[in-house]
Structures are given as structure tokens and as C-alpha cells.
Amino acid sequence: MASIKKIGVFTSGGDAPGMNACVRAVVRTGIYLGKQVVGIHQGYQGMIDKKFINMDARSVRNIIQLGGTVLKTARCAEFRTPEGREKAYKNLVEEGIDALVPIGGDGTFTGAEFLSREFGIPVICVPGTIDNDLYGSDFTLGYDTATNTVIEAIDKIRDTAASHDRLFFVEVMGRDSGCIALHAGVAGGAEAILLPEKETAIDDLIVKLEEGALSKKSSCIVIIAEGDKNGGAYNVAKRVKEKFDFYDIKVTILGHLQRGGTPSSFDRVLGSRMGYAAVKALIAGETRKMVGLKGNMIQLTDLEEAIHNHSFKLEEDLLEMATILSI
Ligand SMILES: Nc1ncnc2c1ncn2[C@@H]1O[C@H](COP(=O)(O)OP(=O)(O)O)[C@@H](O)[C@H]1O
Ligand SMILES: O=P(O)(O)OC[C@H]1O[C@](O)(COP(=O)(O)O)[C@@H](O)[C@@H]1O
Ligand SMILES: [Mg+2]
């Protein structure tokens, strides 16, 4: 493989806190190791629209503390077609970009895998998604910050819930993944946690809530991941209300505030480590891999496995523990 001269870095899919720390690390590591680095704005859309910006060490100053992504992000339908990817690749060649560090989730990785297979361009991906749903890394960028944001909100809701003897249904992000819901639920002392990975019968939930009411709980908080099969917090609240009227019932959907905000120190360090490792891996001749953190060590996982291996499961023991700790 010819040696790499110019690395393209971009963020794609849902933004996540810590992406900027990662971009900064890619740019500075690349430059330190004698490579040119180009920032591609708006992910695959920018690749198609030629939104390339030459980066130097100062281009990434004062961004480690910022949420969102300074490179911007996009969801790009055209890139899903072979014609779209060919256009993108031709633009990369014209720009002299001969390796890529994509930062994003499973969709971004799928696009990178296609591009690399079809045109042979080396790619090392970084897992950036608040959902924490990729195989090969104990943590994805943004998950820690998002979970802390959710806990802050739950704590505030608890204050008003306890003051009024209320039952709150709080919906958190997680289209397919219950990681945020489970961890924020445990940390926020939730009375019940509903996840996409595990079906919860409404009748069982009501039994649990009744037990809480009988044992003189002054408030109840139920955390619901948006992908839970009961159809979201409003639906669950409506069905519970039909049979259970002990508490005044309220619903809060946390929505996109969970995706923004200053990255935690954990996400800044993780982004830095992953960006640094991604550039080193590319230069070492690796390709079609994802950088991940396993047991506090950086490791590489085949991209295909990172995307398709769903054998990692939520910690069921945490769910059991949460049920016991909320009696
Ligand atoms: N099957 C696919 N083939 C080609 N490109 C894809 C594919 N899936 C996703 N992508 C590209 O990656 C982008 C980001 O994917 P998306 O699923 O929206 O977010 P995430 O990377 O956070 O999972 C998409 O908008 C699209 O451009
Ligand atoms: O901002 P959008 O496009 O509505 O995306 C919302 C989605 O973003 C997520 O937080 C993360 O999605 P990604 O796969 O893009 O990282 C989902 O849990 C949520 O459903
Ligand atoms: Mg995704």
C-alpha cells in the first residue's frame, strides 16, 4: 500500500459530544506525523458537494470543550447509491485525500465500509453516538455526556415529583438501544425502566407502581427509551392512567437536549484517544477497522463486526438490580 499523504476526517449521522475532541486529535496527530489533514464538512454530503477544508493545528483550537460538531454533520441519501459513492470518491481523489477517519454510528460505518470495498481507500472509523450501541467498544463518544445530561434532568424532575406526589414518565433517546435509559435509570433511582431490548407488560408495570404507592413512596419516575415497544412515554402513560390512579401522572420527553452540551471529561479523553489511535492505525497500514475502548485499552475491531455483531447485550444484571433497589 502506498504511504498515506492526506487524511480526510468527517463527522456523520447524529452529532455526539466528544466529536470535536476527536477531530482535534486526528488533525494534530496527523500533522505531527507529517501528514496533511482535510476536514470534510457535513459528512458524506460534503464529500459529494466538495466541502473540503485544509486543516492546520490552529484550525482546531478551542474546540475540545464544545458539544456538537464543528465539522457539521448530515444524513445523506445520495451516498447510499453506488453513483453517489462514485461521485464522492472522485472528489476525494481530485482533492488528493488517500485515507479517511469517519466519526459516527453504524450507518456511517456502513457507508465507509462500502466506500473502502468499492474503491480501496483505507478507513479507520471512530464510534461517535450517544446510543452506545456498537460492538467493539465499551463506550461510544457522547454516551457519558448524554447520560449525565439525562440524570441532571431526572434529578430536577424528582424534586417536583416528590413535592406533588406525582408519577412521571420520562422518555429518553435510544431508537434501538436502551443503554442511556438503563444507566440513567439506575443513577436516577427510577422505579421502572423500559427498554427496546426487553418487553415490559403494562400490567406488570402497574403492579410495580402499586407496590410503590402502598409502601408510601412520595414519587415515582419511570424511564422509557424512545424505542421501547409500548410506543413511547405518552402511550405508556395513557395505558397506565386507565387502570391506576394513585398518583397524578405527568410525561416529559427529553428529546434533543440530550445530544447537546459540553462534553464530559470522559468524552474529551475518549475522543482524544480514539482520534489519536485512528491516525496511528491508518499510518500502520490498517483499514476497515473501528477504534474502540475495551477494558480501558484501545483496540481495533473489524468494521463489519462492529456493525453487524449484536451479541453485546445490555447488562441484564443492572435491570434486576434497579428493580431491587427501587422497592
Ligand atoms: N447502507 C448504507 N449504505 C451507504 N451509506 C450509508 C448506509 N447507511 C448509512 N449510510 C450513510 O451514513 C449516513 C449516516 O448514517 P445514519 O444511520 O443516519 O447515522 P449513524 O452513523 O449515526 O448511525 C447516512 O446518512 C448515509 O449517508
Ligand atoms: O436527530 P435525529 O435525526 O432525530 O435522530 C434521533 C436519534 O439519534 C439517536 O440519538 C442516535 O442516532 P445515531 O444512530 O444517528 O447516532 C437516536 O437514539 C435517536 O433516535
Ligand atoms: Mg445509527
Side-chain angles (χ1 to χ4, degrees):
M1 194 197 296
S3 94
I4 290 164
K5 292 193 179 65
K6 207 186 253 195
I7 297 169
V9 58
F10 62 95
T11 51
S12 163
D15 59 290
M19 281 182 162
N20 288 326
C22 185
V23 170
R24 171 179 177 270
V26 170
V27 170
R28 292 195 174 164
T29 306
I31 288 169
Y32 180 82
L33 296 173
K35 310 298 171 191
Q36 291 172 271
V37 183
V38 171
I40 304 168
H41 269 220
Q42 293 176 324
Y44 294 120
Q45 192 61 53
M47 224 178 260
I48 289 173
D49 297 339
K50 300 192 188 179
K51 293 192 174 163
F52 302 120
I53 291 140
N54 291 324
M55 307 292 270
D56 61 31
R58 296 286 76 73
S59 317
V60 288
R61 71 178 147 209
N62 279 341
I63 67 166
I64 195 167
Q65 74 277 27
L66 302 179
T69 160
V70 295
L71 290 182
K72 297 196 173 277
T73 185
R75 307 211 197 255
C76 172
E78 195 178 349
F79 193 80
R80 291 174 184 269
T81 66
E83 298 75 24
R85 290 194 292 276
E86 196 176 342
K87 207 193 249 182
Y89 180 66
K90 277 188 180 157
N91 291 342
L92 292 176
V93 171
E94 201 179 290
E95 190 67 21
I97 295 170
D98 49 11
L100 290 171
V101 178
I103 308 167
D106 56 342
T108 300
F109 291 6
T110 308
E113 160 86 6
F114 271 122
L115 194 68
S116 184
R117 273 197 196 286
E118 289 167 352
F119 303 103
I121 185 161
V123 296
I124 297 289
C125 293
V126 173
T129 165
I130 65 165
D131 288 350
N132 204 29
D133 59 351
L134 288 161
Y135 178 84
S137 193
D138 294 339
F139 299 100
T140 59
L141 274 186
Y143 168 64
D144 181 67
T145 305
T147 306
N148 280 303
T149 302
V150 171
I151 287 162
E152 213 180 298
I154 294 173
D155 290 347
K156 288 175 178 162
I157 288 169
R158 181 71 77 179
D159 286 347
T160 182
S163 302
H164 285 269
D165 290 353
R166 278 180 173 157
L167 162 59
F168 269 83
F169 292 93
V170 180
E171 186 176 299
V172 303
M173 274 188 170
R175 203 173 17 214
D176 306 301
S177 162
C179 284
I180 291 180
L182 181 57
H183 280 244
V186 169
E191 275 61 32
I193 305 168
L194 274 56
L195 311 167
E197 293 89 345
K198 199 170 166 39
E199 285 200 25
T200 306
I202 297 293
D203 286 342
D204 293 344
L205 175 62
I206 291 173
V207 169
K208 168 86 182 155
L209 295 173
E210 275 167 351
E211 282 167 5
L214 288 174
S215 69
K216 299 195 172 45
K217 271 184 179 270
S218 63
S219 64
C220 270
I221 294 183
V222 176
I223 304 295
I224 304 176
E226 67 177 301
D228 171 65
K229 303 291 179 291
N230 289 299
Y234 279 110
N235 272 316
V236 175
K238 187 167 165 275
R239 289 173 61 195
V240 169
K241 225 176 211 167
E242 285 162 8
K243 293 190 184 166
F244 177 75
D245 63 355
F246 188 86
Y247 292 106
D248 185 15
I249 293 179
K250 298 285 176 191
V251 175
T252 302
I253 312 277
L254 294 184
H256 284 80
L257 70 82
Q258 296 163 87
R259 281 242 295 264
T262 305
S264 63
S265 71
F266 182 87
D267 278 327
R268 295 184 204 191
V269 174
L270 186 64
S272 302
R273 286 178 84 175
M274 285 179 167
Y276 171 78
V279 172
K280 300 238 322 186
L282 274 177
I283 291 173
E286 296 282 359
T287 184
R288 289 205 283 275
K289 301 263 164 65
M290 180 195 83
V291 170
L293 191 74
K294 290 297 258 177
N296 208 20
M297 299 282 287
I298 291 290
Q299 72 163 37
L300 297 175
T301 298
D302 282 338
L303 216 41
E304 252 182 286
E305 202 173 9
I307 301 165
H308 300 295
N309 188 333
H310 297 291
S311 67
F312 70 102
K313 288 280 171 254
L314 277 187
E315 307 99 316
E316 295 264 340
D317 56 321
L318 282 196
L319 199 54
E320 193 186 314
M321 181 188 78
T323 308
I324 292 168
L325 299 190
S326 66
I327 56 172

